[in-house]
Amino acid sequence: PADIIGQKVVDFIDDRHKEYVAERIYNRINHREASSYETIVNHKNNSNILIKLNASPIINENGLVTGGMILAEDITEKKLAEEQLKFSEARYRAIVEDQTELICRTSTEGTITFVNEAYCRYFNTVRELAYGTNFLDSIYEADHDLVVRCITSLNIKSPVKVLESRAKMLDGTIRWIYWTHRAIYDEDGDLIDYQSVGSDITERKIAEDRLQYISKHDVLTNIYNRYYFEKQMKYFEEGYYAPIALIICDVDGLKLINDTLGHDEGDELLRSVARVIGNSLRKNDVLARVGGDEFAIIVPGAKLRATESVVKRIRENIIIYNESNPKFPLSLSMGYAVRHDTNVSMLELYQEADNNMYKEKLHSGQSARSSIVHTLMKALEARDFITERHGDRMQDLMVKMAKKLGMGEQKINDLKLFAQFHDIGKVGISDTILFKEGPLTNEEYAIMKRHSEIGHRIALSAPELVHIADWILKHHEWWNGQGYPLALKENEIPIECRILAIVDAYDSMTNDRPYRKAMTQAKAIQELIDFAGKQFDPKLIQDFLKVIGEIVK
């Protein structure tokens, strides 16, 4: 007290506040105004102290102001704490707002009390519209019970749980969110509210679903794969299901299609098979592709008559398909077996059905391949306009050469067939190469050369062509050994191929091709003479020139 009594109040006030405090004292003395305010005072240890004071005038019995009364409270620590709290709240709010995660607080009744900007952006809303709504409003209806059970199960011992649930967007789309739900408790252990932090995982869920789908399905045909089929076999084995049937289907002629027309055509054939079989089955039947050209069907609860009905529907649908898709007819060899006794294993059932399928394939396989070959023959005929009836002209010249060489009637008939189908392998060559205007590139020519090997495989599959298959393979060999595909030379080359090489070259040179106009007959003959002993048998060239001479006469 000795340090203070007798001093003026403003002497203790920080210079920055002296004028303000003096004004408050003046108003208290002259206008009898009480006041409450905060100011800084100088402590005797040279520090500053923030005080909150309530000041009022002292009025005597005559109504005169005789002094003042000041009640002061040191609020330095309190103010610092408030400033730190404000800073912490601002920093926390900034952190919350900067998060890409969705942050939402809800009351114990589920009413939203806070959302961050990320939440607003995600759900295309604003805080004013979000506040007061129920958290479940944004949850997909089918997941409501799941979310409610998760949140209401939170307790002080287990205050945090994670959950994947679907969100319902304003545009009607459904997205997936990974939520971390937390229960917030006060110091007394009473539940205050809930906080939920979410991240969009839609793309991850799509990828997971896709991987799950791929793990069970054949990528090419979109039906079940062998892995899923084997799991189902195990399931029915362990469940002791009976009766149950298995149907095994094998696609006839797939290798021939792949070898001649390419794997794209073969793949399309497999997709067609999957569609035809799938459309023939019941809802609970399991269709799987278990091999390259093999399909298997599990028919739960089916006895013999029901199984035969399924097989019959498949055959009927194949007929319908082939009527509307004559380009490449489908042909399936099928075998089936029925288990009436659970003592028979599913593996034994599969083996029985598979054996029955192979028995049918032995009977129908050759005719199926023949049907495909005939289809390929028609495809070759459809492409023959490229060379303006090249095959017909070839036959005429081949017959004349055969007669010139004194060949018999049977050989002449074989040569006519050879002339007609020597290029059957071209059905497996792309139209972009066959119809190309101008010379082929090295890569294109390499592809074109494959047609003799393709034709050889086709001929081996058709009884009516098998005896000329070797000629089809070798009809591009050269006399000097520089031909393809075997680099044979001279008499290693069958005479039939040597005859066709001359006839084919002459006809090609004297008729228009996509990449050049026809030569004159004289120039074509000169080309043959120039390549005698190189590409062509020199003796046969002389015989051919006599044939041409007789034709000209």
Side-chain angles (χ1 to χ4, degrees):
D3 295 333
I4 298 174
I5 293 172
Q7 302 293 322
K8 293 182 179 179
V9 172
V10 293
D11 291 341
F12 299 95
I13 302 300
D14 185 82
D15 291 342
R16 291 167 290 178
H17 285 208
K18 281 184 185 237
E19 185 176 343
Y20 175 76
V21 172
E23 183 179 349
R24 301 281 80 73
I25 295 173
Y26 177 83
N27 290 337
R28 186 166 64 250
I29 295 172
N30 294 291
H31 301 291
R32 301 186 179 190
E33 291 181 356
S35 59
S36 176
Y37 55 90
E38 297 174 0
T39 187
I40 299 174
V41 298
N42 297 320
H43 194 278
K44 66 179 182 180
N45 64 6
N46 296 322
S47 65
N48 293 327
I49 297 174
L50 183 64
I51 64 170
K52 179 179 181 181
L53 53 82
N54 293 301
S56 58
I58 298 174
I59 302 172
N60 64 13
E61 62 275 10
N62 298 320
L64 297 177
V65 176
T66 60
M69 174 68 72
I70 298 174
L71 299 178
E73 177 189 2
D74 185 341
I75 61 170
T76 306
E77 296 299 327
K78 180 181 178 181
K79 201 69 176 179
L80 286 174
E82 287 178 356
E83 292 296 329
Q84 289 175 353
L85 180 60
K86 287 181 181 179
F87 177 76
S88 296
E89 289 180 346
R91 184 171 60 180
Y92 172 76
R93 184 172 294 274
I95 292 172
V96 168
E97 295 298 349
D98 289 342
Q99 292 298 309
T100 56
E101 286 87 357
L102 321 179
I103 299 178
C104 172
R105 278 209 171 193
T106 57
S107 68
T108 54
E109 291 79 25
T111 302
I112 293 177
T113 58
F114 171 80
V115 293
N116 68 345
E117 279 298 318
Y119 183 99
C120 293
R121 288 193 301 270
Y122 188 81
F123 287 105
N124 193 24
T125 187
V126 294
R127 284 189 171 91
E128 291 75 16
L129 295 178
Y131 292 164
T133 61
N134 194 287
F135 179 70
L136 291 176
D137 292 345
S138 62
I139 302 298
Y140 185 55
E141 288 87 345
D143 290 347
H144 278 193
D145 290 344
L146 179 68
V147 173
V148 169
R149 286 198 302 272
C150 175
I151 294 177
T152 55
S153 68
L154 297 174
N155 55 65
I156 198 164
K157 292 183 179 179
S158 179
V160 179
K161 286 190 177 180
V162 296
L163 179 69
E164 294 178 1
S165 61
R166 289 166 288 183
K168 180 179 62 179
M169 312 305 287
L170 288 178
D171 60 3
T173 59
I174 304 299
R175 300 191 68 82
W176 281 90
I177 301 178
Y178 179 89
W179 288 106
T180 300
H181 297 298
R182 178 186 294 273
I184 309 298
Y185 294 89
D186 62 16
E187 294 177 354
D188 297 326
D190 294 326
L191 178 64
I192 301 174
D193 56 17
Y194 298 104
Q195 178 171 285
S196 301
V197 179
S199 300
D200 186 287
I201 56 169
T202 305
E203 297 303 320
R204 193 197 82 190
K205 293 293 288 186
I206 291 173
E208 288 176 354
D209 290 344
R210 180 61 181 162
L211 288 173
Q212 184 72 9
Y213 181 87
I214 291 173
S215 71
K216 296 179 180 179
H217 290 78
D218 175 55
V219 176
L220 177 64
T221 60
N222 284 325
I223 62 175
Y224 290 120
N225 58 17
R226 186 179 188 89
Y227 168 76
Y228 183 80
F229 175 78
E230 290 176 349
K231 285 188 67 176
Q232 289 296 296
M233 289 278 284
K234 185 177 180 181
Y235 168 77
F236 287 111
E237 180 77 59
E238 294 175 350
Y240 299 99
Y241 282 87
I244 188 170
L246 276 179
I247 304 172
I248 307 300
C249 309
D250 190 89
V251 182
D252 298 322
L254 177 65
K255 186 177 186 304
L256 180 58
I257 294 294
N258 284 335
D259 290 345
T260 56
L261 302 183
H263 285 273
D264 287 345
E265 291 289 352
D267 289 348
E268 183 55 39
L269 183 70
L270 288 171
R271 284 190 284 266
S272 298
V273 169
R275 287 193 294 269
V276 169
I277 297 177
N279 292 335
S280 309
L281 302 182
R282 308 172 308 173
K283 182 178 179 181
N284 294 327
D285 297 339
V286 179
L287 170 62
R289 182 184 176 205
V290 295
D293 56 0
E294 192 168 310
F295 295 78
I297 308 162
I298 302 175
V299 192
K303 297 181 179 180
L304 181 60
R305 181 171 296 181
T307 306
E308 290 174 341
S309 296
V310 174
V311 172
K312 183 181 179 183
R313 282 198 302 273
I314 294 173
R315 297 194 191 282
E316 290 172 347
N317 285 336
I318 287 175
I319 293 171
I320 294 171
Y321 174 87
N322 288 341
E323 287 175 351
S324 57
N325 297 272
K327 182 180 178 183
F328 298 114
L330 295 185
S331 177
L332 289 181
S333 296
M334 289 188 284
Y336 56 90
V338 179
R339 180 173 84 166
H340 298 284
D341 184 355
T342 55
N343 290 323
V344 177
S345 71
M346 291 298 291
L347 178 59
E348 291 171 327
L349 187 69
Y350 184 95
Q351 290 172 339
E352 182 183 351
D354 198 47
N355 289 336
N356 291 335
M357 182 274 293
Y358 274 107
K359 290 177 185 177
E360 180 175 294
K361 198 170 188 68
L362 289 174
H363 294 293
S364 63
Q366 187 60 55
S367 61
R369 287 194 297 274
S370 295
S371 175
I372 293 171
V373 170
H374 282 296
T375 301
L376 296 174
M377 289 178 180
K378 290 179 181 178
L380 178 65
E381 291 172 6
R383 290 179 171 199
D384 199 37
F385 71 89
I386 302 171
T387 53
E388 299 179 358
R389 310 309 300 172
H390 173 58
D392 293 340
R393 295 191 303 273
M394 289 273 293
Q395 285 190 60
D396 292 340
L397 289 173
M398 292 283 280
V399 169
K400 288 180 171 60
M401 273 292 287
K403 290 180 177 179
K404 183 72 175 177
L405 297 171
M407 293 181 174
E409 190 66 29
Q410 183 58 52
K411 180 66 71 175
I412 290 174
N413 288 335
D414 289 345
L415 287 172
K416 288 170 67 176
L417 195 65
F418 183 34
Q420 185 177 2
F421 293 110
H422 68 283
D423 273 341
I424 192 171
K426 286 185 177 178
V427 297
I429 305 301
S430 168
D431 285 349
T432 57
I433 294 177
L434 287 177
F435 288 88
K436 182 177 179 180
E437 296 182 2
L440 301 178
T441 65
N442 291 336
E443 292 79 8
E444 291 168 337
Y445 183 59
I447 294 172
M448 176 66 84
K449 288 198 298 184
R450 291 185 57 243
H451 81 273
S452 59
E453 298 172 62
I454 294 172
H456 179 247
R457 288 193 289 268
I458 295 173
L460 288 175
S461 299
E464 57 268 59
L465 297 181
V466 68
H467 63 292
I468 65 169
D470 187 60
W471 301 348
I472 291 174
L473 175 67
K474 300 171 181 176
H475 77 276
H476 275 291
E477 300 291 349
W478 281 30
W479 181 258
N480 64 2
Q482 295 181 7
Y484 64 86
L486 303 176
L488 303 177
K489 63 181 180 179
E490 298 182 3
N491 292 327
E492 294 175 345
I493 307 168
I495 189 171
E496 296 83 2
C497 298
R498 286 179 271 151
I499 294 172
L500 183 129
I502 297 169
V503 171
D504 191 15
Y506 175 78
D507 186 78
S508 297
M509 289 187 287
T510 55
N511 290 277
D512 290 340
R513 284 298 175 93
Y515 52 87
R516 58 157 174 76
K517 292 293 183 180
M519 297 181 184
T520 63
Q521 187 184 60
K523 187 173 181 181
I525 290 173
Q526 188 59 52
E527 285 281 324
L528 292 177
I529 294 171
D530 291 343
F531 277 83
K534 298 176 183 177
Q535 183 175 354
F536 310 115
D537 182 335
K539 183 180 182 304
L540 290 179
I541 285 290
Q542 296 303 317
D543 293 326
F544 184 73
L545 294 178
K546 292 175 183 178
V547 169
I548 294 299
E550 292 172 1
I551 293 174
V552 172
K553 290 179 181 179

